[in-house]
């Protein structure tokens, strides 16, 4: 998997021609889907406690289908059946991996997965594990350019990537959370900060400047170290310099991830793509920063309006962006291939 720092000429021409029309049409799917995932399962609190773990465990499957399998097995079907088939796989896989996560961390409780009460262990224990696994597969996929597993065939490479990230995720979770070095919330918040920088460098900026390093070994080492350092420094600065609680770090990071996906994936950085390289990148980052500020400021207020208790407002806001909004955008663009908008 290459890591170009710019669109291909054909993709750029298509984006300039079709945006913002197809981005606006995409909102007709993304907004209702996001609202449904954020509040549609018995209200916002119940959606958080039930869909939070399920969606977070499903996100690595979405990454595998979109970036490793190029929409297989849905690509075997035609039209909207392709996206629908992949979505069913994501939904079923999310349930199965949630059960697996629960089995590895605590006793399996199927009723607790689908109808947990407030503070149920499935939220307190399994969600940080799931966030870490998703962060690891993004690191391997985006920053690591799928190396070295891309040398395998398409399906085995994706399965191997998912399995590897689960193993590493379990080891990290055990070493940091189970030993008491970090709380589960802090662990998830750090991975959310890491995910924000993965999105900045590899979605908003399309791999720049790392993609301009010609030697793959040097490029990958530099990129991994830089992205991880950005995540750590952001987390430490927010907690120790700004005095943010870890939930606030996750909430702002989730808002940034959602904003980047909307600006850079759904709208393909329009109108920045109409400008030259440097001003275009600058405008794209400004748009991301503005949307991040709006989301991170408005969603906790919205949480209060719709009856989310203050103690869960940040968690619900993070769920609304990191799970609901992000999943809706990725499904629409990378899995459904904008079928509903084209």
């Amino acid at each position: 998997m290459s890591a170009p720092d710019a669109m291909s000429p054909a993709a750029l021409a298509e984006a300039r021609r079709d945006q913002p029309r197809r981005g606006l049409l995409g909102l007709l799917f993304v907004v209702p889907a996001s609202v449904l995932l954020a509040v549609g399962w018995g209200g916002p609190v119940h959606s958080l406690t039930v869909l939070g773990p399920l969606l977070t465990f499903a996100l690595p499957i979405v990454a595998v289908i979109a970036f490793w399998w190029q929409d297989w097995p849905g690509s075997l079907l035609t039209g909207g059946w392709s996206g629908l088939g992949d979505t069913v796989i994501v939904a079923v896989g999310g349930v199965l991996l949630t059960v697996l996560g629960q089995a590895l961390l605590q006793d399996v409780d199927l009723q607790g997965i689908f109808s947990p009460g407030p503070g149920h262990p499935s939220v307190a224990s399994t969600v940080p594990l799931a966030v870490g696994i998703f962060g690891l597969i993004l690191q391997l996929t985006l920053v690591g350019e799928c190396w070295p597993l891309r040398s395998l065939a398409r399906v085995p490479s994706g399965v191997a990537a998912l399995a590897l990230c689960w193993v590493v995720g379990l080891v990290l979770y055990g070493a940091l959370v189970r030993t008491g070095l970090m709380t589960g919330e802090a662990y998830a918040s750090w991975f959310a900060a890491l995910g924000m920088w993965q999105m900045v460098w590899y979605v908003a900026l399309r791999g720049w400047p790392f993609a301009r390093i010609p030697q793959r070994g040097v490029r990958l080492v530099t990129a991994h170290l830089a992205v991880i350092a950005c995540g750590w420094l952001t987390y430490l600065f927010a907690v120790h310099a700004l005095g943010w609680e870890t939930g606030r770090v996750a909430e702002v990071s989730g808002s940034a991830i959602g904003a980047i996906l909307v600006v850079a994936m759904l709208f393909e950085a329009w109108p920045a793509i109409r400008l030259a390289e440097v001003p275009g990148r600058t405008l794209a980052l400004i748009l991301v920063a503005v949307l991040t500020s709006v989301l991170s400021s408005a969603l906790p207020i919205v949480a209060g309006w719709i009856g989310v208790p203050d103690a869960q407002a940040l968690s619900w806001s993070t769920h609304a962006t990191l799970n609901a909004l992000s999943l809706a955008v990725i499904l629409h663009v990378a899995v459904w291939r904008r079928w509903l908008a084209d």
Side-chain angles (χ1 to χ4, degrees):
M1 178 180 179
S2 61
D5 63 347
M7 289 183 181
S8 67
L12 181 60
E14 182 181 1
R16 285 173 170 170
R17 181 184 70 246
D18 295 339
Q19 292 290 0
R21 177 191 63 85
R22 64 180 180 182
L24 293 171
L25 289 174
L27 289 177
L28 298 178
F29 170 81
V30 169
V31 173
S34 300
V35 172
L36 179 64
L37 295 174
V39 303
W41 192 289
V45 175
H46 201 60
S47 295
L48 168 65
T49 55
V50 174
L51 294 183
L54 293 171
L55 295 181
T56 311
F57 276 108
L59 285 171
I61 302 176
V62 175
V64 169
I65 291 174
F67 303 122
W68 293 78
W69 292 349
Q70 290 80 48
D71 298 339
W72 183 90
S75 57
L76 301 175
L77 305 173
T78 59
W81 292 107
S82 173
L84 181 61
D86 285 336
T87 302
V88 171
I89 292 172
V90 169
V92 174
V95 173
L96 295 177
L97 291 182
T98 302
V99 173
L100 176 60
Q102 194 181 50
L104 292 170
L105 299 182
Q106 58 202 39
D107 294 334
V108 174
D109 178 8
L110 295 179
Q111 182 178 358
I113 289 175
F114 293 101
S115 58
H120 190 275
S122 64
V123 174
S125 299
T126 64
V127 168
L129 171 65
V131 173
I133 293 169
F134 182 53
L136 288 169
I137 204 160
L138 286 183
Q139 189 76 11
L140 176 63
T141 303
L142 300 178
V143 184
E145 302 174 22
C146 301
W147 184 87
L149 298 179
R150 180 58 83 187
S151 60
L152 302 175
R154 179 174 61 179
V155 175
S157 68
V159 173
L162 188 61
L164 174 63
C165 291
W166 262 83
V167 171
V168 175
L170 283 168
V171 171
L172 285 177
Y173 184 89
L176 297 175
V177 178
R178 284 297 181 92
T179 60
L181 292 177
M182 297 181 74
T183 65
E185 186 178 69
Y187 180 83
S189 296
W190 180 81
F191 266 106
L194 176 66
M196 176 181 67
W197 284 105
Q198 292 165 341
M199 292 290 111
V200 168
W201 294 120
Y202 284 89
V203 177
L205 296 177
R206 303 185 182 279
W208 178 89
F210 309 112
R212 297 189 175 183
I213 302 174
Q215 299 85 3
R216 183 172 65 181
V218 176
R219 180 174 69 248
L220 294 185
V221 170
T222 302
H224 279 302
L225 292 177
V227 173
I228 292 171
C230 286
W232 267 118
L233 291 174
T234 298
Y235 176 82
L236 293 175
F237 179 79
V239 172
H240 297 290
L242 299 180
W244 287 3
E245 57 185 299
T246 53
R248 177 64 172 164
V249 178
E251 192 262 342
V252 173
S253 298
S255 295
I257 291 170
I260 291 168
L261 289 173
V262 169
V263 170
M265 182 174 281
L266 183 62
F267 283 90
E268 297 171 285
W270 181 90
I273 54 173
R274 296 185 177 276
L275 303 177
E277 181 180 0
V278 174
R281 294 186 196 278
T282 302
L283 178 58
L285 291 177
I286 291 173
L287 293 173
V288 166
V290 170
L291 185 53
T292 299
S293 178
V294 170
L295 290 172
S296 63
S297 300
L299 284 174
I301 298 173
V302 172
W305 290 347
I306 60 178
V308 179
D310 290 344
Q312 294 178 293
L314 289 178
S315 296
W316 179 82
S317 300
T318 305
H319 166 66
T321 53
L322 190 58
N323 289 334
L325 177 59
S326 298
L327 181 60
V329 173
I330 295 173
L331 282 176
H332 173 67
V333 176
V335 175
W336 285 78
R337 298 293 179 185
R338 301 182 188 270
W339 176 73
L340 295 175
D342 289 339

